[in-house]
Amino acid sequence: MSLFQSDEPLLQVHNVTRYYGDRVGCSDVSFDLWPGEVLAIVGESGSGKTTLLNCLSTRLAPTAGAIEYRMRDGTMRNLYQLTEAERRLLMRTDWGFVHQNAADGLRMNVSAGANVGERLMAIGDRHYGNIRSTADDWLGRVEIDSDRIDDDPRSFSGGMRQRLQIARNLVTRPRLVFMDEPTGGLDVSVQARLLDLLRRLVSDLGLSVVIVTHDLAVARLLSHRIMVMRYGNVIEAGLTDQVLDDPREPYSQLLVSSILQV
Amino acid sequence: MSDTAENYDQGEYNFAYLDEQTKRMIRRAILKGIAIPGYQVPFASREMPMPYGWGTGGVQVTAAILGKDDCLKMIDQGSDDTTNAVSLRGFFEKTAGIRTTYETSEATVIQTRHRIPEKDLTDDQVIVFQVPIPEPLRFLEPRETETRKMHALEDYGLMHVKLYEDIAKNGHIATTYAYPVKVNDRYVMDPSPTPKFDNPKIDEMAALQLYGAGREKRIYAIPPYTKVKSLDFEDYPFEVQKFDKPCALCGARNVYLDEVILDDRGGRMFVCSDSNFCEERRAAGHVGPMAADPAAVQIGGSSQEETAR
Amino acid sequence: MPVRLYLNNVGKSFTMHLQGGTVIPVVEKVEFSVSAGECVVLGGPSGAGKSSILKMIYGNYRCDKGQILVTIGDDIVNVAGAEPRQVLKLREDTIGYVSQFLRTIPRVSAEDVVAEPLVAQGASEEEAVEKARSLLARLNVPERLWTLPPATFSGGEQQRVNIARGFIAHYPILLLDEPTASLDAANRAVVVRLVQEKKEQGVAMVGILHDQDVREEIADRIIDVTTFAADVAA
């Protein structure tokens, strides 16, 4: 497990605040994320978790606060002071973003192989045979049959699309992956398979992950640490099983007690 | 290119149709395009007395650079006597009163739709391309804001996604025209819908190349002797089309051929798409395998007599 | 023998916000220590707070008051105030937990579930799986089940898988949460033997054991948790 090998955080978030006009999106959020660590952000719709995720992933500029990231060369850089070219390079090499709706993260009109290969071509890979065999390898790792490599994701089921999106993101071996409700909208059995796959990939690759979910079971299975958000504020944070088994805040207790017992 | 309107009388066309301020605006766009090879310069495209798709971009560029001493050649799919070429040649004969020609080497300005003449162009010539869709990234990325950013950041991975798809679906790069190129190691450019057969000609070409897209309001350019590389993969290098037969009329090899249907019984032949090139060869005594065929002779019949003015 | 674990003035209560903020006191002024090679059993009726103490030591419950000190070589770490990362690190190589209930993970086979803690400590996959198999065999889990995910196993089988998982790796401190409940006599005897082996290796253990016979066999000391009753202390 690579979780404890590094003494230096990968991502440092300082007082991130985002307003939409007078409305608060998220307010004064600070935390460190370590290499190999999975952080779950939980809360109900409108609690600010997606706003926070978008701020962290440079998709939405925060109104105030700073976010620093340790680049591959070891230097700590303020994400909002990167040039657009640096930011794009980061997003398609060192980072991944898994959308809830796979269609938002895939090119639906090009083949599965091209979807996986795109990042490789974007960073200058110019050998068709290599790109294709790498894509094939990754399809295998996300349990998509090789013979689907030339099919468009339009012909894929929801679960397959989601797995394809994951392969597309991981092909460049990113160190940090953002996930926005990656299992939302899938059947329970499909969800279980995807979760297991994610769990394995995350630990095999030593990924750091920030995952937004409203499903506490997903948070329990995947994350080391959890942040509970409400009305744009982080109201409770800590070790995942501690927060879920011994929630302290009224709202956290409500969330935990609302889980359906099967 | 001095085109002061000294012949201008009330009721007549301004020289080469466009007013001088418009030409000035277009020339500025052209100069900027030459300064940044392959970069698409926006310009205030005017309404022209012909529909979009008929070469309004090329016509505006030509009108902006023509001078009274110029000699204009107008081709469409390699041919001087197809509808589009004939009507645009007529347009400039009427509005600029300049000399026109069918002969590639005689022309100082060549406006073309979909072909580049077989004969090498020289550094005292300018070739103007009519462009329908200037943005090579358009089919993969519909947002203009995004494609502009991609050009600015040299973010061209997507172009290879298209080529990858070609190979994955067809076993080879099946794009045969509008084949994307990288100009001067910087901008990816669509060389207009010319067949990829012509791509090697635009690399290090002696003549100045100007590209005009009227509907899309873009002008771009490749200055003389500029490196132009067709995109490809290491293991699927760029290749031009090969024709296994020579031109049926003039016997030329290694030229771009058009298929011509001769009758309704399956008769056909392949002839030079560049009609002027074919005629010159035949005049010089070259004979193709079907040159004696009566049907072929009729099709390949000389249009030389119409050229004389 | 050196002290491995020391609880100092530990207190815990639950505030039930969904029930009008009722405060349920659990324990107060818990104080005891466990040495290497010693097995301390927490005694007292249900609801006395035995399980809560175990969970606080594991970092699963928050500790409101006091310190829970763990010795790692020359270092002493206070679990009560540790960062999540430190707690996870402790769980990986210092504190093991044998709980009653297996939290099954979809599609992971029984032998891999058992082997996982050993792999996390750096053992090779083969070595870990081999040891997992031998433990499963000792605990009489039928061989045909080893490669299947335990989700569909019977309660007893799941429990034995989890015991194997708890015992496979070496932790200087091992917490036993009713490991023998609902086991038959033969398997109880296996667990007793496993605990004794751990003792010999110098592992400090804290357990909750309702089974009188097992308790007598393995306990070096019994601590009556009722003496920490919070309502008395408060």
Side-chain angles (χ1 to χ4, degrees), chain A residues 92 111 126-129, chain B residues 146 149 155 160 165 234-235:
Chain A
R92 68 176 171 222
S111 69
R126 291 289 176 266
H127 191 284
Y128 174 84
Chain B
E146 181 62 17
K149 238 181 223 167
D155 190 352
H160 275 85
E165 282 293 274
E234 291 159 14
D235 47 346

Side-chain angles (χ1 to χ4, degrees), chain C residues 44-225:
Chain C
S46 299
K50 305 186 294 291
S51 216
S52 293
I53 292 174
L54 228 51
K55 287 180 173 171
M56 279 191 282
I57 298 172
Y58 200 57
N60 182 219
Y61 279 4
R62 290 182 174 93
C63 174
D64 300 338
K65 282 184 228 160
Q67 293 173 306
I68 298 170
L69 303 176
V70 170
T71 344
I72 307 164
D74 294 335
D75 286 341
I76 293 174
V77 175
N78 179 11
V79 179
E83 289 292 310
R85 266 165 61 77
Q86 284 178 294
V87 176
L88 290 174
K89 173 76 178 145
L90 284 174
R91 289 180 186 177
E92 191 176 293
D93 54 24
T94 308
I95 309 178
Y97 192 99
V98 185
S99 71
Q100 301 173 66
F101 303 106
L102 177 68
R103 197 178 285 283
T104 57
I105 299 163
R107 299 204 300 168
V108 181
S109 70
E111 58 186 30
D112 286 344
V113 168
V114 175
E116 193 187 295
L118 202 55
V119 175
Q121 288 188 350
S124 74
E125 198 105 1
E126 289 168 16
E127 181 193 336
V129 169
E130 196 175 318
K131 194 162 175 194
R133 287 178 185 153
S134 79
L135 270 171
L136 288 169
R138 277 182 80 177
L139 286 157
N140 304 305
V141 177
E143 189 170 348
R144 63 188 160 79
L145 297 180
W146 297 354
T147 54
L148 300 177
T152 53
F153 293 7
S154 72
E157 284 158 355
Q158 287 195 6
Q159 194 183 0
R160 268 132 60 201
V161 168
N162 212 35
I163 289 167
R165 181 180 158 91
F167 278 104
I168 192 168
H170 174 75
Y171 303 101
I173 297 169
L174 196 58
L175 309 174
L176 310 171
D177 192 351
E178 302 259 28
T180 56
S182 77
L183 288 185
D184 57 27
N187 283 314
R188 268 205 309 271
V190 176
V191 173
V192 168
R193 182 73 207 124
L194 285 169
V195 170
Q196 271 154 1
E197 286 168 21
K198 290 285 178 194
K199 266 196 210 179
E200 285 156 22
Q201 291 160 21
V203 174
M205 280 176 281
V206 184
I208 303 172
L209 293 161
H210 280 129
D211 190 311
Q212 197 67 39
D213 300 342
V214 177
R215 197 197 302 198
E216 275 165 19
E217 278 189 83
I218 64 176
D220 294 304
R221 210 148 39 97
I222 294 176
I223 292 171
D224 184 4
V225 173

Side-chain angles (χ1 to χ4, degrees), chain A residues 6-7 26 42-43 62 90 96 98 108 116 132 142 147 173 177 181 189 212 225 229 241 248 253:
Chain A
S6 174
D7 291 333
C26 66
V42 302
L90 191 68
V98 177
M108 297 304 281
V116 179
R132 192 170 172 84
V142 298
D147 61 8
R173 300 275 178 157
V177 178
E181 303 274 11
S189 62
V212 159
R225 205 144 56 93
M229 290 190 74
D241 62 278
R248 189 144 42 184
Q253 292 186 355

Side-chain angles (χ1 to χ4, degrees), chain A residues 84-85 87-88 92 107 109-115 117-118 121-132 135 149-152, chain B residues 139-142 145-146 149-150 153-169 182 231-236:
Chain A
E84 178 69 10
R87 192 183 73 87
R88 286 188 171 220
R92 68 176 171 222
R107 288 194 193 278
N109 53 354
V110 305
S111 69
N115 264 290
E118 180 176 343
M121 293 182 250
I123 57 174
D125 213 325
R126 291 289 176 266
H127 191 284
Y128 174 84
N130 293 349
I131 293 165
R132 192 170 172 84
I149 191 168
D150 293 328
D151 293 346
D152 289 358
Chain B
F139 291 104
L140 293 155
E141 178 52 68
T145 47
E146 181 62 17
K149 238 181 223 167
M150 289 162 79
L153 299 168
E154 247 187 296
D155 190 352
Y156 289 134
L158 208 47
M159 225 49 254
H160 275 85
V161 170
K162 185 165 181 278
L163 300 179
Y164 171 98
E165 282 293 274
D166 254 13
I167 301 173
K169 301 223 154 114
K182 197 166 205 182
L231 301 183
D232 60 3
F233 286 103
E234 291 159 14
D235 47 346
Y236 284 84

